[in-house]
Amino acid sequence: MPLEAICPRRALVADRIAPSWKAPLLRLSLAWLALIALFARDWAAMAQQWWDISTYNHILLVPVIIAWLVWQRSSELARLAPQAWWPGLVLVAGTLFAWLLGDISGTATISHLGLVAAMQAMVVALLGPRVAWALLFPLGYGLFLVPLGEELVPALQSITADITIALTHASGIPAIIDGVFIDTPAGLFEVAEACSGVKFLIAMVALGTLVAHVGFRSWKRRAAFMAMAVILPIVANGFRAWGTIYIAQSQGIAFAAGFDHIIYGWIFFALVMAALLLLGWRFFDRQVDDPFIDAERIAGAEWPRRFERFSGHGWRVLVGGAALALGAVTWSAQARGVEAELPATIALPEVRGWSLAAPDHSYPWHPRVSGADHKLVGSYSDAEGRVVDVIYALYGAQEDGREAGAFGEGALPEGTEWRWLASATAPGGATGERLQALGTHQRVASTWYRHGDWTGSSRLRLKIANMRDRVLGTPQPTIMLILSAEDSERQDAREALAAFRQSTGPLPEWMDAVALLD
């Protein structure tokens, strides 16, 4: 019985695959299955973020969009001849090394980016540079699979606050801004992380990129549309925040908050998205029947020929890619075992002129220090009544779940009433922050990291140092130190911190002494 009589739809799909593509597509499928199987933990972590975190819910549509983009090119792609290209394995090795660095340092963004890039590099290695050129946009769009954007929250909070206060003053409402807090006659408003607009901005950039490619041929029009896709949601979010404040002046904060979540959350941004598409629609210059690629021009291009002379045997390239993936997984397992030897117990030392006591705060403050091998928390007070809180964390290694420089770790605890108010000056390369809770409680916190002979506040430098250690198999401990003091009528926080630092002597040596390091 013929195949089309048993399963006509399957036969139709098989018929659309040109004979020259069947073996290369089989090899690519096997390569992708191997990458999914070997790195299942990473894919599961990404999928969980797509599903559970509203900021990334739109990513669930990205695989469907990529498949649609490839399908739109299928008739033209059939006219090209895929060829395995062994130098593509260099790209595969580079992307897997990026995954390795992210994996052993607990930097999920780098490991996820490296893994997605490895899938893309396999396309180049198994189908060749000419076909990869034809698939350039679908391949590039795959980068939207990586959950990115939460790092923009602080900057977007500040921008939203600036837009909101300007509109509030323009509408005749007296208001005072302090960091991300806006004080009005109706009450104190906070431009919180959830109000930063990052969710909408990330989704709009993904949508704008797709529309710019599908709707325009002119690069100038594409650039203008993308600029609008970035600016419009940021400005609209400022108007949204201002609208909440404006309504609260007459209807009260409770009504305004409910209005904000129901009307703005579900309707306002949908209208903004529709407005963006309508504004771009009149300037679309791509016809509906215009092909996305020109197979004849791609097939006749001369520049890929200099690369295609390095074409390789498809199955050998596939085996080489699989070997690289296995090597990366093995290297990661070995590197994860690299951990510094730490003392069994440590304790906060005596400081000249200061007495050690249990923390006593006017409002509870508990910095987040996850996964530290040793965590010390205490308060020091002197004869003048100044009080400084000390949080000391010692790590034998840095990885996911036990990382000093991770997002959300440190002086600003998540899920509490404490909010970032402003930057504060801090000596010795530390990060200084002024924090506020409930609009009345303020404190200043300074954070240092120490790794080997380096002391500073750069999270990037700390990650690079830990990556180097694990790749080379040379373990060194990591220390995080937070010094903080309340700002109140009884004491000036910066003065108290300066006095304490003077009593400890050089902080790098003090931090090493607490960890019993030679």
Side-chain angles (χ1 to χ4, degrees):
M1 182 178 293
L3 177 62
E4 55 270 20
I6 301 173
C7 185
R9 181 168 297 181
R10 180 178 176 183
L12 178 62
V13 173
D15 289 343
R16 293 200 61 169
I17 300 177
S20 62
W21 276 83
K22 292 183 178 179
L25 285 180
L26 174 61
R27 288 190 286 266
L28 180 61
S29 298
L30 293 174
W32 279 3
L33 286 174
L35 288 176
I36 292 172
L38 288 172
F39 304 95
R41 176 171 53 87
D42 297 85
W43 288 111
M46 277 194 284
Q48 185 176 14
Q49 292 185 65
W50 304 342
W51 185 263
D52 291 341
I53 302 177
S54 58
T55 304
Y56 306 125
N57 287 161
H58 68 279
I59 299 181
L60 294 169
L61 297 175
V62 171
V64 178
I65 293 172
I66 295 174
W68 177 80
L69 289 168
V70 174
W71 184 260
Q72 295 301 309
R73 292 160 169 76
S74 59
S75 59
E76 293 292 306
L77 288 171
R79 299 166 58 187
L80 300 176
Q83 291 181 310
W85 189 57
W86 68 261
L89 293 178
V90 177
L91 297 177
V92 175
T95 58
L96 290 175
F97 187 70
W99 168 85
L100 172 69
L101 294 178
D103 185 64
I104 63 179
S105 65
T107 312
T109 298
I110 296 178
S111 60
H112 294 166
L113 184 61
L115 187 52
V116 170
M119 302 283 278
Q120 298 166 325
M122 281 295 190
V123 174
V124 181
L126 293 172
L127 302 185
R130 196 178 297 268
V131 171
W133 179 27
L135 291 171
L136 185 60
F137 184 80
L139 288 174
Y141 202 79
L143 294 176
F144 283 112
L145 290 168
V146 182
L148 283 171
E150 291 286 353
E151 300 80 4
L152 300 174
V153 167
L156 290 175
Q157 281 180 276
S158 297
I159 293 173
T160 301
D162 291 340
I163 295 174
T164 302
I165 192 65
L167 292 173
T168 302
H169 287 159
S171 60
I173 301 172
I176 299 174
I177 186 171
D178 192 357
V180 295
F181 293 90
I182 299 176
D183 195 3
T184 73
L188 182 66
F189 294 84
E190 177 197 357
V191 181
E193 294 182 2
C195 303
S196 65
V198 67
K199 302 176 185 179
F200 191 54
L201 176 62
I202 295 173
M204 284 288 278
V205 169
L207 174 65
T209 303
L210 177 63
V211 173
H213 174 73
V214 173
F216 301 100
R217 298 180 66 91
S218 166
W219 283 102
K220 290 183 179 180
R221 296 191 181 193
R222 286 175 174 172
F225 184 82
M226 283 305 302
M228 189 164 55
V230 172
I231 296 172
L232 187 59
I234 294 176
V235 174
N237 191 57
F239 272 88
R240 179 202 63 77
W242 163 77
T244 301
I245 293 176
Y246 187 82
I247 293 171
Q249 305 311 304
S250 60
Q251 304 298 322
I253 292 181
F255 178 86
F259 186 86
D260 175 61
H261 287 293
I262 297 173
I263 302 300
Y264 286 139
W266 295 98
I267 298 176
F268 181 74
F269 283 134
L271 293 175
V272 173
M273 187 178 295
L276 175 66
L277 296 176
L278 287 174
L279 287 172
W281 187 284
R282 60 181 299 182
F283 298 104
F284 284 177
D285 58 0
R286 180 190 289 279
Q287 301 301 316
V288 176
D289 56 350
D290 284 350
F292 286 97
I293 59 173
D294 184 347
E296 184 176 351
R297 183 173 69 89
I298 294 174
E302 289 295 327
W303 70 265
R305 298 188 191 281
R306 70 185 69 174
F307 300 102
E308 289 174 332
R309 60 195 179 95
F310 298 107
S311 297
H313 188 278
W315 291 106
R316 292 176 183 172
V317 173
L318 173 62
V319 171
L324 289 171
L326 283 170
V329 172
T330 303
W331 194 352
S332 173
Q334 293 177 343
R336 280 178 171 272
V338 176
E339 188 155 342
E341 186 176 349
L342 302 178
T345 59
I346 60 173
L348 289 175
E350 294 184 0
V351 177
R352 180 174 50 86
W354 296 75
S355 300
L356 185 60
D360 183 16
H361 306 145
S362 62
Y363 187 81
W365 175 69
H366 303 288
R368 183 176 175 181
V369 183
S370 302
D373 295 284
H374 293 295
K375 176 183 176 181
L376 304 175
V377 179
S379 291
Y380 288 85
S381 60
D382 67 357
E384 298 182 26
R386 294 175 296 200
V387 178
V388 172
D389 296 305
V390 177
I391 293 84
Y392 182 98
L394 179 62
Y395 304 79
Q398 297 282 279
E399 57 191 5
D400 193 22
R402 51 185 299 216
E403 185 180 2
F407 180 78
E409 295 288 306
L412 182 57
E414 292 184 327
T416 69
E417 295 295 335
W418 287 101
R419 301 290 186 269
W420 183 89
L421 186 62
S423 297
T425 57
T431 297
E433 301 172 287
R434 180 172 292 275
L435 311 178
Q436 179 173 286
L438 303 178
T440 56
H441 303 277
Q442 289 193 15
R443 65 169 48 245
V444 174
S446 301
T447 303
W448 290 264
Y449 305 116
R450 181 157 174 80
H451 188 87
D453 295 328
W454 171 78
T455 304
S457 62
S458 172
R459 295 182 176 185
L460 177 60
R461 184 164 178 179
L462 178 62
K463 284 185 178 292
I464 292 174
N466 278 282
M467 290 177 186
R468 179 200 61 212
D469 288 350
R470 284 200 152 179
V471 168
L472 299 179
T474 55
Q476 294 189 82
T478 296
I479 303 170
M480 178 169 68
L481 174 66
I482 302 174
L483 301 182
S484 180
E486 292 186 346
D487 220 351
S488 64
E489 295 180 355
R490 295 184 303 171
Q491 71 173 16
D492 178 272
R494 289 180 297 179
E495 180 184 322
L497 291 171
F500 182 78
R501 289 194 305 270
Q502 186 175 9
S503 298
T504 62
L507 277 178
E509 288 80 354
W510 191 82
M511 295 165 70
D512 284 349
V514 175
L516 305 180
L517 300 177
D518 295 332

